[in-house]
Amino acid sequence: MDTLASNEYVAQDYKSDLKPVWCPGCGDYSVIASITKALAELQLVPEEVAFVSGIGCSSRIPAYSAVYGFHGVHGRALPIATGLKMARQDLTVLVAGGDGDGFSIGGNHFMHACRRNVDLTYIVMDNSVYGMTKGQASPTTEADWGGSKLTPNGTGLLPFQPLEIALSAGASFIGRAFSGQPGELTRQICEGIHHKGFSFIHVLSPCVTYRPEQRAYKDRVHQEWQPTADRTEAFRKLLDDDGFSTGILYKGTKPAFVPETAERASFTEIEAQFAV
């Protein structure tokens, strides 16, 4: 990927003055660092970048960045971001969320964002738990995890498979990274932003407060995938996936959805359309 030779902007230029309030050891610290580093590497003008989020620990990210941001309601980040990108094709639009926000209440929006293939970069920080509300099972929690008082014997449900859903629904860029490997995560974010279409980056981001066993992620992740444009090959890789494979899984060539352009109407013209 081509990057500009100059270094007018550095990662710090994309950080706000707010100090993150995540728990000590949260993987999201590394994610925001990787995002700002990627923006600096791409030398994107801060005023031409917008960050949209829903609700959850990970959705605080727009507040910690110094680009335009919108902290929306639970699960609705993707439709807001889609509308923004439709209206302002010139902006680089990033979307942040977690497994609860993106795959539970926002699950329907996730599937249709993949299908539409609008030019967005969706970064999901998955820790398989609702950390903000003190540790309930999320859509990606293992069926036998009994760490929540609400489900002491586990949910008994198969975990949601976000990469398989994304590939089935039509996402044209799919990757997975580990927050403990910021260099690889930065690379994938750069690639995702550069890709013209819907980019989905699944980030294994441990919640060591409610899932302390996730400290072992660093010993379980393994760089496995090289990007392919063959969906069948990508599906085969997912069949062999243990949930800890990292890399860019799929990079397709489907054109990004771009709405038909129309001349903007003046306020007077719009008002006239509603006159009775």
Side-chain angles (χ1 to χ4, degrees), residues 39-268:
L39 296 177
E41 185 168 331
L42 295 172
Q43 287 292 288
L44 297 178
V45 178
E47 292 82 2
E48 296 176 355
V49 179
F51 223 132
V52 181
S53 71
I55 296 295
C57 298
S58 55
S59 291
R60 296 176 182 273
I61 277 187
Y64 303 145
S65 61
V67 300
Y68 285 111
F70 189 95
H71 191 178
V73 294
H74 202 191
R76 310 303 179 214
L78 283 170
I80 294 169
T82 299
L84 174 60
K85 185 65 181 181
M86 293 297 92
R88 288 290 305 273
Q89 288 288 315
D90 57 311
L91 294 180
T92 296
V93 181
L94 308 176
V95 192
D99 39 304
D101 184 73
F103 305 147
S104 183
I105 190 170
N108 186 48
H109 297 307
F110 174 57
M111 289 188 292
H112 288 285
C114 294
R115 182 173 68 88
R116 293 189 184 101
N117 198 38
V118 173
D119 188 16
L120 305 171
T121 301
Y122 187 34
I123 302 168
V124 177
M125 287 145 270
D126 189 351
N127 51 25
S128 301
V129 72
Y130 285 106
M132 179 170 277
T133 52
K134 302 188 182 304
Q136 298 81 29
S138 85
T140 57
T141 301
E142 305 87 330
D144 59 352
W145 181 72
S148 169
K149 293 179 180 178
L150 293 178
T151 52
N153 298 316
T155 65
L157 300 173
L158 292 175
F160 186 83
Q161 301 296 327
L163 280 73
E164 293 181 15
I165 296 295
L167 188 59
S168 298
S172 59
F173 181 105
I174 300 170
R176 182 192 285 142
F178 171 48
S179 63
Q181 296 176 338
E184 168 64 14
L185 177 54
T186 300
R187 183 184 74 86
Q188 288 196 29
I189 294 170
C190 288
E191 292 270 359
I193 293 173
H194 189 69
H195 178 77
K196 298 302 179 187
F198 186 75
S199 306
F200 170 51
I201 301 174
H202 182 231
V203 185
L204 300 173
S205 185
C207 173
V208 298
T209 299
Y210 296 106
R211 301 292 307 267
E213 71 276 15
Q214 291 180 348
R215 295 180 190 277
Y217 275 9
K218 63 181 184 300
D219 300 319
R220 300 188 64 181
V221 296
H222 48 95
Q223 179 76 30
E224 193 75 29
W225 295 329
Q226 297 296 323
T228 177
D230 186 331
R231 293 179 77 237
T232 302
E233 182 183 349
F235 274 118
R236 287 184 180 134
K237 290 180 178 178
L238 287 175
L239 290 176
D240 294 330
D241 177 39
D242 62 357
F244 292 94
S245 303
T246 61
I248 297 173
L249 171 71
Y250 177 74
K251 188 157 59 174
T253 57
K254 184 172 70 173
F257 175 77
V258 178
E260 294 183 2
T261 56
E263 292 185 7
R264 295 185 178 184
S266 67
F267 181 78
T268 302

